[in-house]
Amino acid sequence: MFQAPKSKMMLAGVLAASIVSAGCSADEKDAAGTAAETPAVEEAKTTTYQIFRKFAAPEYPEDGGVGKKTLLEAFEKTKAKGFDFKVTLASGDDYFTKLNLLATSGQLPDYFDTDAKTLSRFSEEGLLLPLDEYLKDAPNLMKIIPQEFWKEVTFNGKIYGIPKGRNDKPFNLPSTLGLTIRQDWLDNLNLSRPTTLDELYAVMKAFVTQDPDKNGKNDTYGLGVSKETNFNAIFGAYGIIPKYWTKVDGGIKKGFVLPEMKEGLALLQKWYMEGLIAHDFPIMESKQRDELVINSLVGLFEGDVYYTEKSSSPLATSLNEATPTADLVMLEAPKGPNGKQGYQEKLYNSEFSALSAKMKEPKKLFQYLDWIADQSDEGGFNHMMYGIENEDFTYDRATDTIELITPYAELYKKGYSNPVRFVVVTDRRSAKPEVREAIEIVNKHVISNALWKSVPAEMDYPDLETKLWMEYLVKIVTGVWPVEKYDEFIKKYYAQGGKIIEEQANELWKSLQ
């Protein structure tokens, strides 16, 4: 039997202790009491569920804040008893590192976020709770999540995950990431919004050399990226998204093995060598990249549609506070040398949640999940997502429009919204006109993934994308290696498991046609 190294087991133990920092649940505490302390009328025992979420929100209060208090009070009015939760947050690669350590040590949290590959692997390893029995009593969950989405989380005939829900409104289109630029910088330099890679290059050059923020200092970058960046917006101008499957000659191949990849790498290396890309991006965390944006050191980066309106995201709010004249707008996907363009398509149900096979009383948790999936006045969705009506938001039921009174950053501080969005539903009723415009721009040109489902070999060889490909990407972009060395990566990829992955992917893809 495989045994994890002691150092990893110790680390996982510390991590589990931090996640379960609320201590034992109330039902366990009751068991420790004396018989004399038993009340005349026994109340429902409280179970505190440990929730691990993939989200960055340092503002979220350790104790859950007023948001947790009001949510639990409202939930109790539905006759629910004995429910509590403790949220722990992590983001990026750090989240999955911690999640895998917890899985290795047998200490998975009760409820956690996951991706398709991890969900498949955990289900095979018996770490997850089958959900079919509990979904029978969760009509709101079943209503908000399209029937076809459940297929993505079904393994060997059983459901092991909760997909992302969807509201069918035009402003709920799935893709939200694109190149975001400082319009005020363009105005300062009398430049138009770039529409091609050549125009983008000229703008970046001007951002680096012509003092776009007019502070008299030579302190600005052309393109701000972090170590998590795949440069998808740039490769999209060559018709590929590196990690997406692309249709080629009656089959499918990963974008990063196609000839267009080297063209994109050559361009990025040129930009980096000319000082247009933040030089330390290989070690830069996403929050550090965000700090560059907030401090007006970066005016072009891959950002979210919500960054385009000052009250719609913590980054936009912080930038506006630091520079009230700052104006972020979304660019249409730039065209490449052959007229190709596109941002990465985002699948509606690319995010999942799962329950540990070891968790206690899943029925209570499902009662809460079904309540916060309910968007009616009796449900908890609006309360969970936007706070208290007429205090944190207003709701025009006639037009189905929500107006935020409290910005998202403040909602996080109170304990509402994304940190406690245990049921993820695409809901942009609160999106400002600027955000809705940005959504339309991003979704105007998207590059699809020919196959979303994972194949077994991808789980057998996870390092091919996360480590091997990233090593070649970074070292070639930064000029450590020449572009020609990328041929070596393709040979290694196929030799070290990529051939099997591609064969299995094509077999699956053809079976779905």
Side-chain angles (χ1 to χ4, degrees):
M1 180 183 294
F2 170 77
Q3 291 185 331
K6 289 185 178 180
S7 59
K8 286 191 176 181
M9 293 293 287
M10 292 175 64
L11 180 56
V14 172
L15 179 59
S18 68
I19 288 183
V20 195
S21 59
C24 58
S25 56
D27 53 342
E28 293 168 324
K29 293 177 183 177
D30 289 344
T34 63
E37 294 172 337
T38 304
V41 179
E42 184 176 353
E43 296 182 359
K45 295 178 180 179
T46 297
T47 301
T48 301
Y49 295 89
Q50 304 302 324
I51 315 292
F52 192 30
R53 299 228 50 226
K54 183 177 180 291
F55 192 76
E59 308 93 335
Y60 182 74
E62 177 72 19
D63 62 358
V66 66
K68 175 180 170 179
K69 180 177 182 295
T70 61
L71 281 167
L72 293 181
E73 288 174 350
F75 183 49
E76 286 182 0
K77 291 179 181 178
T78 69
K79 309 299 183 184
K81 299 292 182 183
F83 176 82
D84 196 2
F85 63 81
K86 169 68 177 174
V87 174
T88 302
L89 303 175
S91 62
D93 294 340
D94 182 52
Y95 175 84
F96 283 105
T97 298
K98 291 178 177 178
L99 183 65
N100 285 318
L101 281 171
L102 289 167
T104 299
S105 66
Q107 301 178 77
L108 276 176
D110 298 315
Y111 188 75
F112 54 92
D113 296 337
T114 185
D115 58 12
K117 293 179 183 178
T118 307
L119 183 71
S120 177
R121 176 164 58 87
F122 282 6
S123 68
E124 287 186 0
E125 295 173 354
L127 301 178
L128 304 181
L129 181 75
L131 309 182
D132 306 74
E133 173 187 348
Y134 307 101
L135 289 170
K136 294 176 182 177
D137 298 318
N140 295 306
L141 268 176
M142 299 304 293
K143 177 182 177 182
I144 203 68
I145 299 172
Q147 184 64 36
E148 63 268 24
F149 286 10
W150 293 104
K151 297 177 183 177
E152 300 290 333
V153 295
T154 299
F155 304 93
N156 298 319
K158 293 183 179 181
I159 295 174
Y160 285 97
I162 298 176
K164 187 176 184 178
R166 180 178 72 190
N167 259 332
D168 289 321
K169 297 289 176 66
F171 48 77
N172 283 329
L173 289 168
S175 299
T176 61
L177 291 177
L179 286 175
T180 310
I181 197 166
R182 285 280 294 270
Q183 179 64 51
D184 54 311
W185 284 17
L186 291 174
D187 294 340
N188 287 343
L189 301 177
N190 295 314
L191 296 172
S192 300
R193 295 185 191 179
T195 61
T196 67
L197 289 180
D198 287 342
E199 292 175 3
L200 195 65
Y201 170 76
V203 166
M204 288 191 295
K205 198 80 170 177
F207 278 5
V208 171
T209 63
Q210 296 181 26
D211 190 21
D213 56 350
K214 301 303 179 185
N215 68 351
K217 299 178 181 178
N218 182 22
D219 59 356
T220 49
Y221 293 103
L223 178 64
V225 294
S226 71
K227 67 178 185 180
E228 298 173 11
T229 300
N230 292 330
F231 296 100
N232 286 328
I234 306 305
F235 288 115
Y238 293 92
I240 63 169
I241 301 297
K243 293 184 179 181
Y244 278 13
W245 291 100
T246 304
K247 295 180 184 178
V248 179
D249 298 330
I252 58 174
K253 289 182 175 290
K254 283 285 187 177
F256 55 54
V257 301
L258 298 177
E260 292 86 350
M261 188 70 197
K262 288 174 68 174
E263 295 180 58
L265 285 171
L267 183 73
L268 288 168
Q269 187 182 85
K270 169 183 167 63
W271 287 357
Y272 185 87
M273 300 303 285
E274 292 185 17
L276 304 184
I277 299 176
H279 66 278
D280 54 352
F281 85 86
I283 60 172
M284 186 180 294
E285 302 288 345
S286 58
K287 62 181 179 181
Q288 293 173 308
R289 192 283 312 267
D290 291 349
E291 289 172 1
L292 293 179
V293 175
I294 293 168
N295 292 320
S296 290
L297 299 175
V298 160
L300 175 68
F301 60 101
E302 188 175 54
D304 192 272
V305 292
Y306 282 93
Y307 294 170
T308 61
E309 200 282 320
K310 63 183 180 181
S311 65
S312 296
S313 75
L315 180 144
T317 300
S318 297
L319 174 60
N320 182 257
E321 290 173 352
T323 308
T325 57
D327 181 18
L328 287 174
V329 297
M330 188 64 67
L331 292 178
E332 195 170 312
K335 292 180 180 179
N338 296 317
K340 296 179 180 179
Q341 64 185 135
Y343 291 129
Q344 66 186 98
E345 177 191 40
K346 184 178 180 182
L347 192 65
Y348 272 113
N349 56 326
S350 59
E351 302 169 3
F352 311 100
S353 300
L355 286 74
S356 168
K358 293 183 179 181
M359 74 172 300
K360 297 180 180 179
E361 299 191 76
K363 187 174 181 179
K364 281 186 183 180
L365 177 59
F366 262 88
Q367 288 177 332
Y368 184 76
L369 296 177
D370 195 58
W371 179 67
I372 60 173
D374 184 358
Q375 295 187 341
S376 72
D377 288 343
E378 291 73 36
F381 184 88
N382 289 345
H383 187 168
M384 170 268 295
M385 194 66 198
Y386 304 111
I388 304 296
E389 187 169 0
N390 297 322
E391 178 181 323
D392 296 306
F393 73 99
T394 59
Y395 182 26
D396 185 338
R397 287 163 176 77
T399 61
D400 199 22
T401 300
I402 285 176
E403 185 77 23
L404 290 183
I405 297 172
T406 304
Y408 277 105
E410 294 301 317
L411 286 175
Y412 297 169
K413 286 182 182 179
K414 286 187 172 186
Y416 294 118
S417 199
N418 290 306
V420 293
R421 189 166 63 150
F422 305 156
V423 175
V424 179
V425 177
T426 301
D427 177 55
R428 303 197 184 105
R429 290 172 295 165
S430 65
K432 300 283 187 179
E434 298 92 334
V435 176
R436 296 190 182 194
E437 180 184 358
I439 292 170
E440 291 184 13
I441 290 173
V442 170
N443 286 274
K444 190 174 181 179
H445 304 283
V446 294
I447 295 177
S448 300
N449 188 0
L451 180 67
W452 285 103
K453 273 201 165 187
S454 299
V455 295
E458 288 182 285
M459 290 171 274
D460 295 332
Y461 307 104
D463 291 348
L464 291 180
E465 288 189 13
T466 60
K467 293 183 180 179
L468 184 66
W469 179 70
M470 285 301 296
E471 178 185 14
Y472 277 80
L473 173 72
V474 169
K475 289 186 176 179
I476 290 176
V477 170
T478 56
V480 175
W481 289 344
V483 175
E484 290 71 24
K485 195 175 177 67
Y486 193 75
D487 294 333
E488 180 180 278
F489 159 75
I490 296 176
K491 291 179 181 178
K492 285 185 177 180
Y493 172 75
Y494 281 118
Q496 296 177 18
K499 184 175 184 292
I500 300 174
I501 292 174
E502 189 174 290
E503 289 173 351
Q504 291 183 359
N506 274 274
E507 183 179 351
L508 176 58
W509 176 72
K510 290 176 181 177
S511 72
L512 297 173
Q513 301 308 300

